[in-house]
Every structure is written in C-alpha cells, then in structure tokens.
Amino acid sequence: MAEVVLLDFWGSPFGMRARIALAEKGVKYEYKEEHLLTGKKTPLLLETNPVHKKIPVLIHNGKPISESLVIVQYIEDAWSDTAPLLPADPYGRSQARFWADFVDKKIYDQGKKIWANKAGEVQEAGKKELMESLKLLEGELGEKPFFGGETIGYVDVALVPFYTWFYSFETIGNFSIEAECPKLIEWVKRCLERESVSKSLVDPEKVYVDLILVLKKMYGYE
Amino acid sequence: KIWTTKGDEQKSATEEFIGYLKTLEAELGDKPYFGGEKLGYVDVTMIPFYSWFHAYEVSGNFSIESNCPKLMAWAKRCMQHESVSKTLPDPKKVYEFILQLKKEGAPQQRASMAEEVILLDSWVSPFGMRARIALAEKGIKHEHREEDLGNKSDLLLKMNSIHKTIPVLIHNGKPVCESNNIVQYLDEVWHDKSPLLPSDPYLKGQARFWADFVDRKVFDAGRKVWVTKGEEQKSLMEEFIGHLKTLEAELGDEPYFGGEKMGYVDVTMVPIYSWFHAYEVSGNFSFESHCPKLVAWAKRCMQHDSVSKALPDPEKVYEYVLQLRKRLGIE
C-alpha cells in the first residue's frame, strides 16, 4: 500500500475536505474510489472504519483516521511545517473549530431537506434554514478574503466543498443562493483560484445529474 | 474605577456608577433625549461612554441594561444618528484596549490582574461538566455562573449569540463555545498542566475521533431517550447501550481512554455517568450487566476530585429528568 491512501467518493463534500487539505500540504497520495451508489462497501473500508463504515478514511502508513474534520486536523498536525490551516494562537484556533463545527451541524442536514423532498413545508424550511446559516457564515467572513484571513484555512476547507451541491439545492428548491449571499459566492470563486481547491472540487452539474438525481431515485425521494 | 480595581473596591465602584446612571435616567424622564425632542448638549456629553459600557460590564461583571433599561433605550436611540454611530468605536475593541492598558499598568495593578476566566454553565448539563472537569484538572481559578436556561442571561445571549447554549467559557472577555472546543482550548492555553490530548498526531486524531463518537452517537442517543416513550424509547435505549459497548471495546484493558491517565475522551465521556442512575430507574435495567468494564472505568474516574466534584448527585439528576418529562407532557 502507498504511504498515504484516501478512501473517498467523488461527490462527497466530506471527502473533498480531505482532498483539499492534502493538496494544500503537497502530500502525494493514492486515491481509492468507494462506489457508494452500488450499495456495496469494500472490505478495506469496513476494516479501516468499522465504527461508522463511511468515507473519507485516510490511511497513513497503514494507520486509519476517520471523520473528515478529524482527518483535516490530522493532516494539519502530521504535515505541520507547510501551509498551516489553523492559526497559532489558541483563541483563533477555537474560533476556527467553532465555525467548522457550525458548518458540520447545519449545512448538510439543511441542504438535505431541500434535495430529498418535493416542494412543500419541509423543503421551504430547509431553504430558510440554509440561507440563515449561509448568511451567518457570510457575516463571519466579513471583509476578509478567506475565513482563514489572507490565505485559506480550516473553515474554508470545511465549507467550500458544499458549493458543489449548491446547484442541486438551487435547481430542486428553485431559488438562488448567489442572490442572497453574493459575498459568499465571491469567496467561493476566490477559493477556486487555488489549485488545491479547483482540483479537489467536482463539477456541480455532474453532482446534480450523476449523484443527487440518482440518490432521489434510489431512495424514492421524488 | 470599575476597570482599575477588583474585589470589594470594584463592587462599591460599580454600585456608585450605577447610582449615577440612575440619577441621569431620572433626569431624562420620558423625554426621548436629554435635549428634549432632539439631541442636545448633555446627550453629546454622555453618549460616548456607551461605547465603554461593554468594558465596564465585563470587568465589573454586571449588566447596565438590567439596572437602567431606560438609559440603554436612550443610548440606542442616539446610536440611530449617524453622527453618533460613526463616531463611537466598536465596544469590543474598547474592551481589548482596556485589557492592554491593564497589562501595561502599574506593578500593583499588574499583580492584581489575574486571568479572568468565567464559565457559564448549568448544573445538570453533561456538556458543562466537561468544562468543569478540564478546569479542575488544570487547577484553573475561575468564576462559575449558573444559568437558568428558561431565562437566559444577557451575557449568555451575547457571548453565544449563534447557539445560545451553555457551556460558554469567557477568557479575558472573549467567549469560547461548544464543550469539546472549550476543553481543547483549555488544553492548549494551559498546556503544561495535566495535558489531556496526546502530542502524537495519530493518537491525537484517535482521541478526536472517539470524542466525536461520544458526541454524535452516545450523547445523541442518550438525549433522545428522554423525549420519547414506549417502543421508540426502548429501541433508542438499545442503540445507546450498543454505543456504550463499542466504547467499552475501544477501552480494552487500559485504565482510561487516555491510557495510564485520564485524557480528552475520558473528560468528554464521564459526565454521562451522572445520568446512569436516571436511565437505569426509567428503563428498569442495570448498566453493570451490559457493560461492566465501562462502569468500572467510570468509578475509577470518580476517584478523581476533578470528576467527583464536577458531577452532580445522580438522585438530583433523576428528579430533574422526571420534571423534564412532565413538562414535555411525556409521562
């Protein structure tokens, strides 16, 4: 096995977090695709993440780490001499962790209310909640180019992958995120100027056609 | 005098200050401004101090709003004028400035200016208990403030405006929210006393993984048990026990999750032990029969003062749960 292996799924925002962090640090790794849409999980995944059986899993010298934010923090600690994603001062770090945790608590579930439902109460609630969360994040960004300040940091890595799912939310929910959070979309474009991000994120339209619509059919969310 | 003193001297300075504000409030009466219908000489003289109110409140640990609501209403009215809002600086920056001044102050002042650590908490919260244990493990002097969650303080709503929950650690006026975040922050700032996270990146990653498991699986299932009944509750209890067994397997033969000493995962997990009695009585079973090693681990942790003093009396927790279920109309 290669020194660094990433078990991942192409459309997962959580997997994209690990991809960006590894790229920022210039770490060479072997990418292994888990074909989640087939419903089958590989023995390697079940062995390396027996507790949750989910991707991403980072395997470094044979030792596995799971949970995307735990993985990003591990990458930060293990390759600490390049491109720091967290500030040095404890207070700044606690703020970054707070906002990454906020992203984790809100964005995926709120987005799911939109894509996994037909037009109606639940979907409307999801739209309202998602916009509230994105506005709070936009407020936290303020006038900074990135959440991490002058360069991308932990919160940028935690949030930007969800951009690939925005097109799906907007199409299914029939609304525009850009219209209400223009500064956030400017931030996304700024992130995409970095290779670590542009090479780790997938095409939003592909996510819509090959993932979201497929999931909707698979689970009967129509 | 409020921000340059401590203890009794500060207390009487605060009372004196509030007294003067009340005098002004009486003078204002029912007028929108001291100048009558418009801003006048007295308004202009007084309103700048509004930008320092936050600094006074944090230093003196009191709320101006609760003492002089009409004066605060007047101040906000003035702030609607651009002439005022563009002149007054950000109150948070003023507070930081004061902290700087205190640091550079006279040797006597410097000596008396200890680290200011406040914990906004609730006695029954396992999340709050985590912060309590970490503070005790590191011997950090702090002020503990009990919040009435049915009537949250202005300070709590200000310091955790996003989630409005406890615990909140306020360190020299700056808030840190989310219990695991607080524990990590304390571990980083007071890193030389009783380190909770290992320094090796892989072991640190493992500790973070298990702390995340405790939060998203154990505590989540445990919490849902109380807001359900019948079959739903039964299956949640089974799920909860399943997660405890997973943790028990992870513990293995080590005395603590942190190895030879208590660490991050121990601090994250042990608070739920104070709720075990409530679960056992409600569900009519015994944890000891399902996960004896985990119960033994919890008792081992309870031998530490930092833990035994942080966890409430299990009987009181049970009474609390009964009240909660009554209030929610479940029982």
Side-chain angles (χ1 to χ4, degrees), chain A residues 64 67 91 94 97 105, chain B residues 175 178 181 188 202 208 216:
Chain A
E67 288 307 303
Y91 191 74
S94 75
R97 285 193 298 255
K105 279 191 160 87
Chain B
E178 295 303 300
N181 196 9
E188 286 180 13
Y202 186 73
R208 288 196 173 118
R216 280 191 313 116

Side-chain angles (χ1 to χ4, degrees), chain A residues 87-98, chain B residues 92 96 159 168-177 181 185 188-189:
Chain A
D89 73 295
Y91 191 74
R93 296 161 75 86
S94 75
Q95 288 295 93
R97 285 193 298 255
F98 175 84
Chain B
K92 283 199 182 128
E96 272 166 31
M159 291 285 145
V168 178
L169 184 86
I170 310 173
H171 184 202
N172 292 330
K174 298 203 278 194
V176 181
C177 308
N181 196 9
Y185 175 78
E188 286 180 13
V189 178

Side-chain angles (χ1 to χ4, degrees), chain B residues 61-244:
Chain B
N61 186 18
F62 69 107
S63 154
I64 294 177
E65 176 118 45
S66 56
N67 284 286
C68 315
K70 283 191 163 177
L71 199 70
M72 287 302 269
W74 159 81
K76 286 172 183 165
R77 207 175 292 129
C78 291
M79 285 291 280
Q80 283 169 6
H81 295 252
E82 260 191 13
S83 60
V84 178
S85 61
K86 289 200 166 170
T87 301
L88 269 55
D90 175 3
K92 283 199 182 128
K93 289 205 169 130
V94 172
Y95 183 74
E96 272 166 31
F97 167 77
I98 284 186
L99 288 179
Q100 261 307 110
L101 274 186
K102 279 188 182 182
K103 245 183 228 172
E104 295 158 8
Q108 312 98 278
Q109 275 179 13
R110 233 181 283 137
S112 68
M113 226 234 56
E115 296 272 17
E116 187 191 63
V117 180
I118 301 173
L119 180 70
L120 303 183
D121 196 1
S122 166
W123 69 276
V124 75
S125 161
F127 302 100
M129 288 174 222
R130 290 171 175 172
R132 277 174 245 166
I133 297 170
L135 285 161
E137 277 289 304
K138 291 174 180 282
I140 300 168
K141 281 206 178 85
H142 64 281
E143 185 194 331
H144 183 271
R145 285 202 210 165
E146 187 69 18
E147 281 283 333
D148 173 3
L149 296 181
N151 183 20
K152 297 178 180 179
S153 72
D154 288 342
L155 187 62
L156 172 59
L157 296 174
K158 186 171 23 185
M159 291 285 145
N160 190 359
S161 56
I162 304 286
H163 299 304
K164 304 175 176 59
T165 52
I166 56 89
V168 178
L169 184 86
I170 310 173
H171 184 202
N172 292 330
K174 298 203 278 194
V176 181
C177 308
E178 295 303 300
S179 61
N180 282 350
N181 196 9
I182 292 172
V183 174
Q184 285 183 80
Y185 175 78
L186 292 171
D187 204 41
E188 286 180 13
V189 178
W190 283 270
H191 53 85
D192 41 358
K193 286 192 200 163
S194 284
L196 296 169
L197 276 160
S199 42
D200 169 67
Y202 186 73
L203 295 176
K204 213 187 245 189
Q206 288 300 92
R208 288 196 173 118
F209 172 83
W210 286 104
D212 173 79
F213 178 84
V214 169
D215 257 357
R216 280 191 313 116
K217 298 288 182 184
V218 180
F219 275 37
D220 197 57
R223 188 179 45 86
K224 285 183 184 153
V225 165
W226 299 119
V227 295
T228 51
K229 57 179 176 179
E231 279 310 308
E232 205 189 339
Q233 192 189 46
K234 205 169 169 238
S235 81
L236 278 164
M237 270 305 319
E238 280 168 20
E239 199 187 313
F240 181 57
I241 294 172
H243 294 321
L244 294 182

Side-chain angles (χ1 to χ4, degrees), chain B residues 8 11 44 59 76 97 118 143 166 179 196 205 221 246 249 264 267 273 280 326:
Chain B
D8 281 341
K11 212 173 168 228
V44 172
S59 304
K76 286 172 183 165
F97 167 77
I118 301 173
E143 185 194 331
I166 56 89
S179 61
L196 296 169
T246 303
Y264 184 53
V267 173
Y273 180 67
E280 287 177 328
K326 224 184 241 178

